[in-house]
Amino acid sequence: MSIQIVSLGNHYNGLYDTEKTSVVGLYLRYILRSQDINESHPVFKVYQASLRSEDRVGIVAYECLDLDTFSCDLQSSLATLAGADIVVLNFGVENRPLFLEIKNNFAPLLKQIFSHRQSVPIIVLATGHRDSPSCTCPMCTSDRAMTVSSLEGLQLAKDIGLGATYLELLSFNSFYLKNNLYYFRELLEYYIMQTMKNKSSETREKKKNKVIRIQPPKLEQPVTMPVLKDEPSRYNTDIRKLLDQCHCVDVHFCTADLNPICGAHRVVLCSVSYGFMLLFDLIPAKEIHEFNLQETVRTYLSVYQEPTVSMNNTPVRVIVKDVHFHKCLPDILHFIYSGASQWQLLEHDLKEKLKDDEEADYVSHIVQSLLNKPGTDSHSGTPLSLSESIGFFFNNTSLADVVFQVQDTKIPAHRSVLAARCDVMAAMFSGSYMETNCALIPVHGISKDTFLNFLEYIYTDTVCPASIPEAMSLMICSEMYQVSRLQHICEGCITTQLQSMTSRELASTSLNVVSLLQKAKIFSQKQEFQDLSAWQLDFVEINKWPSNYYLNQLSKYRSYIHSPKHSCAVM
C-alpha cells in the first residue's frame, strides 16, 4: 500500500534564503533518507520512500516548488493533484506574492477537486520569522506590512475548508532545521497512518455510505526561545522629571521687577512653539507670517538684556509682563513639558488657580496664541509627539550648549535633553566634574556611528541598528551610560537578526556566538540584564550549533562563568 503526497509551493523568503525548498522534500531527504528521486517530470520532482517503522508503507511525493510551472502540463498536473492522499501548501511568511497566488488560484481549485473527497488532509504550512514589533523605524514597519500574519494563514485554512490544518514553523535555516522537521514529522506521519486506516476500510465505509474525515492531531507546542523583556517607553516621564528636578536650567522666568518665578529649558520650549523660537532669536521675525504670534510675544514676554557679558551656560532671564500669566506659569510649563496636548486639563488647572472663569479664559487665550494652537474649526492632521518635536534638535547646532568630540567628529547636543534621558549625563552635568562647565567633551572607546545611534535614541526614543556588531556596540554603550531600555532594544535586534540568518550568511561573516555570549555576560551582570546571555545559551543548545569546535568552546565558557574566580569578580 502506498500514500501519495502532493506538495505545492516553497519556503523561499527572498532576503534570507538562497534556494527554494519545501518541508516535504526536506522530510523525505533527511528523515526517510530517500535516494529514489526523479527530476525528469516537467512539473513535479518525484520522491519515493518508505516508513522505517512500517516498510510495507510506501510514500510517493510530488513536489512542485514553482507554481508557475503547474500549468505547463495542466492536464497531467490536475490528474496528479486529484490522486493525492495528502496535500501540503507551502509559503514563507515574507513571501506575500506566493501566499496570494495560493489563496486566489489554488484554494478554489482544491475545494473543487476534493469536494467529494473530504477525507483528504490538507496542510497549510507557513515558515519564517517575522520582525520584532519593538522596532518602530519606517523600514521595519514597512517590512512587517509585507509579511503574512498568522491570522491570514488561519483564515486561508478556514476558506479552504475540508478540514484543512494550519501549521507555522520558524525559519528553515540550519539552526531550526532539525526541530522543524521532527515537529512536521509528527503531524505528517499522523496523517499518513490515518490515511492508511482509511484506505484499508474504504470498501466497508463505502457500503455504509459514510464520509470519513481525519481530525487533526493535538500536538504539543515546539520548543520556544526565552522571551526577552520589552521595557515601556519613559520619554514623556523623563521630560516632565526634567522640569521638576531643575537639571541644566537655561531659562529663568521673572516678574517685571526681576523676581524669579521658575526655571525652564529652551530646547523644550522651542520644540513646541514658534513663539519661543522667535523670543530666543532662533528664527527671524520675517519668517513668521502670523502677526498675532509676533504681537503676543512682544506683549507678554521679553528677554532681559544683561548689563555684562554672561558665560556660555548662564541662563537667560525672561520677563513675564502679565500678572495673571506669571501666576499660572508653573501650570503652563507642566502642560508644555507634557507635550502641549492636554488642553482640557490645562483649562481646569487655570480655573482652579485663578478662581475666575474670565481670567482663566484670558490666560488660556494667551497660551493658545503663544503656542500657535489651531482653532476649533481648523484641526488638521495629528500633532507631533514630544519625542518627534525634540527629535528635530538631534545633531543640530541650534541652541546646542555642549559638543562631544568623538574620534575626528564634533557632535552638538543639549545638556537638558541628555540629563532628562540619561542619569549618568545628569550626574555629569550637575556634579563637581570637569564636564560640568566644559563646552567640548571628548568621548573615548566609542565609535562615531555608535555614539550617534546612542544620541538618536536619547532624542527620538527609537533606534534601529543595521547589524549585529552595531547592535552589540550600542548595547555596550547603553550599559556604560546605564540606559536600560536601549539595552533591551539592542537585545531584541540581536536575537531577531540571529534567528533570521541562514547558516550560509553566518559562515560568510565573522560572527562568533560564543564571543557574543562572553560580551553579553560581561556587560549584563545585573539580574534584570541577563536575558541576552540566557537566550544565546538556549540558541546554541536548542539548535545544535553545527560545529564541535563551538560546542567545546561553549563547554569551556560554561565552566568559566561558574568558576569561583569569575563569581568573585562579578561580586
Side-chain angles (χ1 to χ4, degrees), residues 50 74 141 154 190 208 229 242 245 256 262 289 309 311 339 347 406 425 440 447 455 498 570:
S50 60
L74 185 59
T141 303
L154 287 169
Y190 168 86
K208 293 181 180 180
K229 292 181 180 178
L242 179 66
Q245 297 181 352
C262 57
H289 302 294
V309 178
M311 298 177 61
E347 292 169 357
V406 187
M425 294 281 191
L440 182 64
S447 69
L455 290 183
L498 276 177
V570 172

Side-chain angles (χ1 to χ4, degrees), residues 97-218:
L98 177 58
F99 168 77
L100 293 176
E101 185 174 1
I102 292 175
K103 176 182 177 181
N104 298 330
N105 298 330
F106 284 86
L109 181 63
L110 291 173
K111 293 176 68 174
Q112 180 181 354
I113 292 177
F114 297 109
S115 59
H116 302 294
R117 291 181 60 199
Q118 297 187 16
S119 62
V120 175
I122 300 175
I123 303 174
V124 180
L125 181 60
T127 60
H129 182 81
R130 300 180 181 88
D131 290 333
S132 172
S134 62
C135 183
T136 58
C137 73
M139 182 176 296
C140 291
T141 303
S142 175
D143 290 344
R144 284 195 294 271
M146 294 300 295
T147 60
V148 181
S149 66
S150 300
L151 292 178
E152 290 178 299
L154 287 169
Q155 188 59 45
L156 174 59
K158 291 180 180 179
D159 292 341
I160 295 175
L162 308 175
T165 301
Y166 177 70
L167 179 64
E168 190 169 297
L169 300 175
L170 294 171
S171 301
F172 253 85
N173 53 33
S174 60
F175 306 125
Y176 291 106
L177 179 61
K178 188 173 182 180
N179 285 340
N180 282 347
L181 285 182
Y182 278 99
Y183 189 65
F184 175 74
R185 173 186 182 178
E186 295 182 33
L187 178 66
L188 183 62
E189 292 186 0
Y190 168 86
Y191 280 132
I192 290 174
M193 302 309 296
Q194 293 299 319
T195 302
M196 283 180 53
K197 294 178 182 179
N198 185 19
K199 280 192 169 186
S200 63
S201 59
E202 186 175 5
T203 303
R204 183 172 64 256
E205 295 300 336
K206 282 185 178 180
K207 291 180 180 180
K208 293 181 180 180
N209 196 23
K210 180 180 179 181
V211 176
I212 301 176
R213 177 175 293 179
I214 302 175
Q215 297 298 324
K218 295 182 180 180

